[in-house]
Amino acid sequence: QWQRLLQQRSDGKLPHAMMLAGPSGIGKLQFAQAKAQLLLCLSPVSGSSCGRCKGCELSAAGTHPDLFVLRPEDGSRVIKIDQVRRLTEFVTKTSQQGGMKLAIIEPVESLNLNAANALLKMLEEPPERTTMLLISHQPSRLLSTIRSRCRELRFNPLSPEDMHAAMEQA
């Protein structure tokens, strides 16, 4: 998945919305955070963020002004319409660092119906230089119109052999 992302980035063909779909706890959020950090990095090196520029420092601190994370708040299980309205306001503004704007929505199936319809409007008329990363543990629970407007990246559990190989590389 990471190689596909790097190729899309180098080709200048990043989709405006990507759905990271797969079982809970498999690393989709970590992938989205790493992708956001790479895309907000001012000096990427060999397909990775540099970790030293202002963009990387802001991302690591969780304070990057061009990154919006949307998830249920205040102990709620749902993402509400007012939260999506704040996201809409964020994506319509100019990037503060002069680059891209990114939004991570996690988990996207927690949108209530009104919030889902508001997100759909945004996906139908995507803002320029904005990428939305929708994390889904159960894509079948989403409106089909939302799924159809996203490029899906499927995440599956690693086989025992692949897990062993990954652990040896770490």
Side-chain angles (χ1 to χ4, degrees):
Q1 304 295 17
W2 192 257
Q3 293 306 317
R4 182 185 302 171
L5 160 71
L6 294 177
Q7 187 63 50
Q8 290 170 338
R9 184 172 181 257
S10 70
D11 293 345
K13 295 183 179 185
L14 280 173
H16 71 280
M18 298 177 78
M19 182 175 306
L20 311 180
S24 180
I26 201 165
K28 298 180 302 292
L29 178 59
Q30 292 80 4
F31 183 93
Q33 291 167 331
K35 177 180 178 171
Q37 187 163 352
L38 172 64
L39 294 175
L40 295 170
C41 178
L42 302 173
S43 305
V45 179
S46 302
S48 296
S49 56
C50 72
R52 296 181 302 276
C53 70
K54 183 175 181 166
C56 286
E57 289 175 0
L58 290 168
S59 292
T63 58
H64 201 294
D66 295 328
L67 175 62
F68 191 99
V69 179
L70 181 62
R71 57 175 54 112
E73 55 188 27
D74 300 327
S76 176
R77 290 182 165 195
V78 298
I79 297 173
K80 300 173 183 151
I81 183 75
D82 289 338
Q83 293 175 263
V84 176
R85 287 182 181 137
R86 288 194 301 271
L87 172 61
T88 302
E89 185 178 320
F90 166 80
V91 299
T92 57
K93 292 181 180 175
T94 304
S95 164
Q96 291 190 29
Q97 299 294 311
M100 298 188 70
K101 292 178 297 208
L102 284 111
I104 297 174
I105 304 171
E106 191 261 330
V108 70
E109 57 267 9
S110 65
L111 292 161
N112 68 24
L113 185 58
N114 290 334
N117 285 323
L119 177 65
L120 178 59
K121 176 92 170 132
M122 219 181 319
L123 294 173
E124 290 172 338
E125 299 170 14
E128 285 189 36
R129 300 189 49 78
T130 300
T131 296
M132 289 187 253
L133 304 171
L134 289 68
I135 298 172
S136 179
H137 311 307
Q138 299 172 316
S140 62
R141 290 186 50 208
L142 296 171
L143 296 173
S144 61
T145 49
I146 288 179
R147 287 195 322 261
S148 70
R149 285 164 177 78
C150 299
R151 174 126 353 118
E152 183 175 310
L153 287 178
R154 173 70 51 189
F155 288 76
N156 295 308
L158 294 176
S159 68
E161 297 81 21
D162 290 340
M163 179 65 83
H164 181 72
M167 296 302 288
E168 285 182 350
Q169 289 179 347

